[in-house]
Amino acid sequence: MAAEYKAERTISAVYKEQNQVDDVIRRLLDRGLPRDHISVMGRNFKSETRIAGFITKKDVILGGLRTGAIFGSLFGSFLSLLTGVGVLFIPFVGPIVAAGPIGALLLGAASGAIAGSAGAGLVSALATLGMPEDKAAVYQTRLQAGEFLVMAEVPADRSGEFQILMESAGGEEIHTLETALPRPCPGRCNSPEDLSPEVRSHLSGEAQNTFIERYNAVLDETNDQIKAEQAAWETVQQNFDEDDNGVWSKKKVSV
């Protein structure tokens, strides 16, 4: 099923309660939506573990996004079902638990330099993906208020079915993008020309080569595009700084 799955649209919805998020994710998975096409963001996940001690105002917390199993034990079992979960610091919102493809985009600043020190916040990132700014502003405000955003990448001919599912699970402010979330490459990246424009435009030539080398290595090891993308962005951020245009181009000096 997963190999034949074709994601063509992205449906987004806000949920007020964590148990609603748990429910809608399980319903999406039961309906055949692959886990690597589900994204979740939220800041008020209930946890018995104190996490304030290791959340700091850095671009990426805990070295970036990790497997869902680690965060599932902290924030709820449903996160362990998703790909690539971690904590990001988003300007104007604060520390956000992010899972799935949207987390990789935010980590890499591939949709508006959001992870940079001069990031314009979630509104800018979502608007770059094609979402109306007023809807993106609603999502940012509701995340600030402690609610949750779920995004599902679905086939065009099933978008109505999944929209009804997300709404019936308590989803509000539902919006449909006419595209899936961008990925860096359709498979392995053989050259910079294989990189998507969203990624390539934020990397210098040297940084592109660094990204590709790490991306391919992790993809070969895990066969997971999201983990490969996250690892590639982490490596870029370890080796480069952004310039004034939001391009990772300044090679860091080893000490």
Side-chain angles (χ1 to χ4, degrees), residues 124-246:
S124 175
L126 296 179
T128 302
L129 297 176
M131 186 176 291
E133 285 195 14
D134 57 346
K135 179 64 71 175
V138 169
Y139 287 163
Q140 176 166 296
T141 298
R142 295 189 68 164
L143 280 170
Q144 287 173 317
E147 298 180 3
F148 307 89
L149 179 64
V150 176
M151 307 176 79
E153 299 170 281
V154 305
D157 61 359
R158 298 184 65 191
S159 59
E161 168 194 347
F162 282 111
Q163 180 171 327
I164 292 172
L165 183 155
M166 294 176 73
E167 188 171 3
S168 67
E172 301 177 6
E173 298 290 347
I174 292 177
H175 181 267
T176 300
L177 285 172
E178 294 301 314
T179 62
L181 299 178
R183 304 295 199 270
C185 295
R188 287 185 103 256
C189 289
N190 297 314
S191 71
E193 288 70 31
D194 291 338
L195 289 171
S196 69
E198 294 87 357
V199 171
R200 190 168 60 246
S201 64
H202 285 86
L203 300 173
S204 67
E206 187 177 3
Q208 289 174 17
N209 291 328
T210 297
F211 183 98
I212 289 171
E213 182 179 354
R214 182 61 174 157
Y215 178 87
N216 286 339
V218 176
L219 184 65
D220 290 343
E221 179 183 345
T222 66
N223 197 33
D224 188 320
Q225 281 187 304
I226 295 175
K227 289 180 181 177
E229 183 178 3
Q230 292 166 355
W233 279 117
E234 289 175 11
T235 301
V236 166
Q237 293 180 0
Q238 289 166 5
N239 289 277
F240 297 87
D241 288 318
E242 284 182 293
D243 61 24
D244 294 338
N245 296 316

Side-chain angles (χ1 to χ4, degrees), residues 1-6 28-34 37 155 158 161-162:
M1 176 74 177
E4 301 173 355
Y5 190 86
K6 187 176 182 181
L28 289 169
L29 293 170
D30 288 345
R31 200 69 65 90
L33 190 72
H37 288 286
R158 298 184 65 191
E161 168 194 347
F162 282 111

Side-chain angles (χ1 to χ4, degrees), residues 24-57:
V24 73
I25 288 176
R26 294 184 185 280
R27 290 170 65 177
L28 289 169
L29 293 170
D30 288 345
R31 200 69 65 90
L33 190 72
R35 67 192 185 104
D36 57 350
H37 288 286
I38 301 174
S39 296
V40 178
M41 286 190 288
R43 60 184 301 185
N44 283 352
F45 287 97
K46 296 185 177 72
S47 170
E48 296 180 358
T49 304
R50 271 191 62 127
I51 61 172
F54 63 68
I55 289 183
T56 57
K57 290 188 177 182

